[in-house]
Amino acid sequence: MLAAGVGALLLILSMAAQSATRVEGVRVWPAPDHTRLVLDVAGQVEHNIFSLKGPSRLVIDLKNADLKTDFGRLDLSGSPIRKIRSAPRNGSDLRVVLDLKADIKPRSFQLEPNGQYGHRLVVDLIDEGGRKFDEPAKPTVTQDSAGKRDIVVVVDAGHGGEDPGAIGPRGTREKDVVLKMARTLASLIDKQPGYTAKLTRTGDYYIGLRNRTLLARKHNADLFVSVHADAFRTPQPKGASVFALSQRGATSETARWLAQSENRSDLTGGVSLDGRDDTLAGVLLDLSMTASINASLGVGSSVLGNLGKVAKLHKSGVEQAAFVVLKSPDIPSILVEAGFISNPQEEKNLSTQWYRDKLAKAIMSGVDEYFQKTPPPGTLLAWQKQQRRGSASVSQYRIQRGDTLSGVARENETTVSELMQFNGLRDDRVMVGQTIRIPAS
């Protein structure tokens, strides 16, 4: 009887040990405003976290868990973690202790398996007292142009850190490709007189989708360009695309699928209009959003046209979808899909520096082409355009039957708003026989 009882007890203990959730791996992703610790677990795990002071520590208790990885091999450089310790607790539980360099604000959540990783427990160590993101510098001023500022373009490399983005047939990760391309684009922008570039991320770490647009606002951006290289369900789709925001939703099935895929990374956020009446706030937001979308479509069309000179296009026009990173109501924003990484040939192209450089140069050409025509007030480009206009001759045009102001503007390589301002018009209506002045382009 005693032997049978002991055997049964051992069997129960063995079954309990086998049912414990295994911690199979660990990763650390340091970012400017936080560090992300990721534990690979065999399944959902019940856990609890709390902070201790004197010295600073973070305790992570995992219920019914077993450690199957080595914390000692982890590279902790660039993170607030001095050391990671672990020990069994209450017989079947696991306690993990992070010895910290300073106090942090912890946040934890679990992620479902994706194409690269299984179940994960994520612990964010948020440095509230330290540097959030790179502090936005004052807009660069060109000294020999009457103190006019540079146009600020914020370049956003999609995904990063624990979020690899799309993965090609040969294992090429979207997050790596777009970071290299974003760096090249930012370098080209900085070399162009009258422009300054800022990157949302400079390394392999993740930034929330809403935080990317907030960062653009901190930098007083005139334009936000998010660079991606996404995938589709099948390997056939190929070609570069440019997206602007759609208030009604996506314009194609592919666009809808891509928007849903991107937005899954971040499910919170919104625009704040504190202190405004609901009706007034709605009107202001609608007006701002409409202007922003129109400008986005303008710069997007210019970028797409230049991309079409160096690469195959997926669609001939700018598409519109509800990407979260495009939802800034006051900053023109475009999302550039450099190609489909799920297509074997495009994956191969995007893995090469020469092809990424070619795409980056095309994007820069499109951006400059747009801003040369419609530069923001107070910028070097706006001042240069005014100088050219002042020194150029002015022509006149007599309105014919069937003419519209937009058609006249298009024929003379100018804009409706510029013609209205140049001729003192209150709206865009013109009459047959009316003579308007045309500034030299």
Side-chain angles (χ1 to χ4, degrees):
M1 292 290 292
L2 179 60
V6 171
L9 179 59
L10 290 174
L11 179 61
I12 293 171
L13 292 175
S14 175
M15 292 176 61
Q18 290 176 4
S19 64
T21 302
R22 299 182 307 278
V23 179
E24 300 171 332
V26 60
R27 290 178 298 284
V28 171
W29 306 101
D33 68 325
H34 74 283
T35 291
R36 175 160 289 185
L37 176 72
V38 182
L39 299 177
D40 290 316
V41 290
Q44 291 283 342
V45 60
E46 186 176 340
H47 72 284
N48 180 47
I49 64 172
F50 59 92
S51 300
L52 296 173
K53 295 185 179 181
S56 299
R57 287 154 292 161
L58 179 68
V59 178
I60 309 169
D61 282 335
L62 295 90
K63 189 172 182 180
N64 196 24
D66 189 18
L67 184 64
K68 295 296 183 181
T69 189
D70 184 3
F71 291 138
R73 296 181 180 180
L74 201 59
D75 182 7
L76 301 176
S77 58
S79 77
I81 307 172
R82 296 184 187 274
K83 183 180 178 182
I84 302 181
R85 298 177 282 120
S86 65
R89 179 172 179 268
N90 296 336
S92 61
D93 299 343
L94 175 67
R95 168 162 286 184
V96 178
V97 179
L98 311 184
D99 294 322
L100 303 171
K101 300 173 184 176
D103 292 341
I104 54 89
K105 178 182 178 181
R107 177 183 62 184
S108 68
F109 54 94
Q110 297 190 59
L111 291 176
E112 296 293 327
N114 61 15
Q116 185 173 8
Y117 302 114
H119 289 275
R120 288 152 291 164
L121 172 61
V122 178
V123 180
D124 282 338
L125 313 177
I126 302 169
D127 181 12
E128 289 192 309
R131 182 168 63 103
K132 290 291 182 186
F133 294 103
D134 290 331
E135 286 298 321
K138 293 181 179 180
T140 304
V141 174
T142 306
Q143 297 301 323
D144 60 351
S145 59
K148 301 303 180 183
R149 71 174 181 86
D150 282 356
I151 292 172
V152 179
V153 181
V154 170
V155 182
D156 170 52
H159 307 280
E162 190 64 15
D163 178 12
I167 301 175
R170 298 192 304 170
T172 306
R173 300 182 301 186
E174 179 186 1
K175 69 172 183 177
D176 300 326
V177 168
V178 298
L179 179 59
K180 293 174 182 176
M181 189 169 161
R183 286 171 172 165
T184 299
L185 177 57
S187 177
L188 292 172
I189 293 170
D190 281 331
K191 290 177 182 177
Q192 185 80 3
Y195 288 88
T196 293
K198 299 292 182 182
L199 288 164
T200 56
R201 70 176 178 97
T202 57
D204 188 11
Y205 51 85
Y206 181 74
I207 299 176
L209 300 179
R210 297 290 180 181
N211 285 338
R212 296 172 193 248
T213 58
L214 291 175
L215 186 55
R217 185 170 290 107
K218 288 182 181 179
H219 284 303
N220 299 309
D222 296 289
L223 176 66
F224 178 85
V225 181
S226 190
V227 183
H228 290 256
D230 225 307
F232 200 63
R233 302 183 186 93
T234 62
Q236 285 77 24
K238 59 183 178 179
S241 305
V242 177
F243 288 82
L245 179 65
S246 170
Q247 291 174 306
R248 298 179 181 178
T251 55
S252 70
E253 182 63 30
T254 300
R256 274 192 292 270
W257 189 88
L258 290 172
Q260 185 181 21
S261 175
E262 298 296 340
N263 295 345
R264 199 177 297 126
S265 300
D266 193 350
L267 303 176
T268 61
V271 177
S272 174
L273 290 170
D274 292 338
R276 304 286 188 182
D277 173 80
D278 287 348
T279 303
L280 175 59
V283 171
L284 292 174
L285 191 58
D286 284 345
L287 288 172
S288 181
M289 190 68 81
T290 299
S292 177
I293 290 176
N294 288 338
S296 301
L297 290 170
V299 67
S301 179
S302 182
V303 167
L304 190 68
N306 281 271
L307 281 172
K309 299 175 183 178
V310 300
K312 177 180 175 58
L313 297 180
H314 182 62
K315 292 288 181 67
S316 59
V318 177
E319 297 189 75
Q320 293 180 259
F323 289 114
V324 171
V325 291
L326 301 181
K327 291 185 177 181
S328 178
D330 54 349
I331 302 173
S333 305
I334 61 173
L335 186 146
V336 177
E337 294 285 0
F340 283 83
I341 209 167
S342 51
N343 180 282
Q345 184 57 51
E346 292 205 333
E347 178 192 20
K348 182 179 178 180
N349 290 343
L350 291 168
S351 299
T352 61
Q353 184 68 42
W354 70 269
Y355 189 76
R356 293 193 302 267
D357 288 352
K358 188 167 65 169
L359 294 179
K361 289 176 182 177
I363 295 172
M364 178 61 216
S365 296
V367 170
D368 186 51
E369 180 182 281
Y370 173 80
F371 280 123
Q372 289 290 345
K373 294 179 181 178
T374 55
T379 61
L380 171 64
L381 268 64
W383 179 80
Q384 289 175 336
K385 185 174 183 178
Q386 185 65 38
Q387 295 298 109
R388 291 194 299 269
R389 179 191 294 174
S391 60
S393 59
V394 177
S395 61
Q396 292 187 337
Y397 178 77
R398 188 179 181 85
I399 299 296
Q400 307 295 317
R401 185 175 300 276
D403 279 342
T404 62
L405 197 62
S406 61
V408 174
R410 186 166 53 252
E411 288 293 327
N412 291 273
E413 298 184 348
T414 184
T415 64
V416 171
S417 60
E418 193 167 21
L419 287 180
M420 290 175 57
Q421 182 179 2
F422 204 67
N423 290 274
L425 302 177
R426 293 184 178 180
D427 53 46
D428 61 355
R429 290 177 295 181
V430 290
M431 296 182 296
V432 175
Q434 179 182 355
T435 299
I436 61 173
R437 300 163 64 229
I438 309 292
S441 69

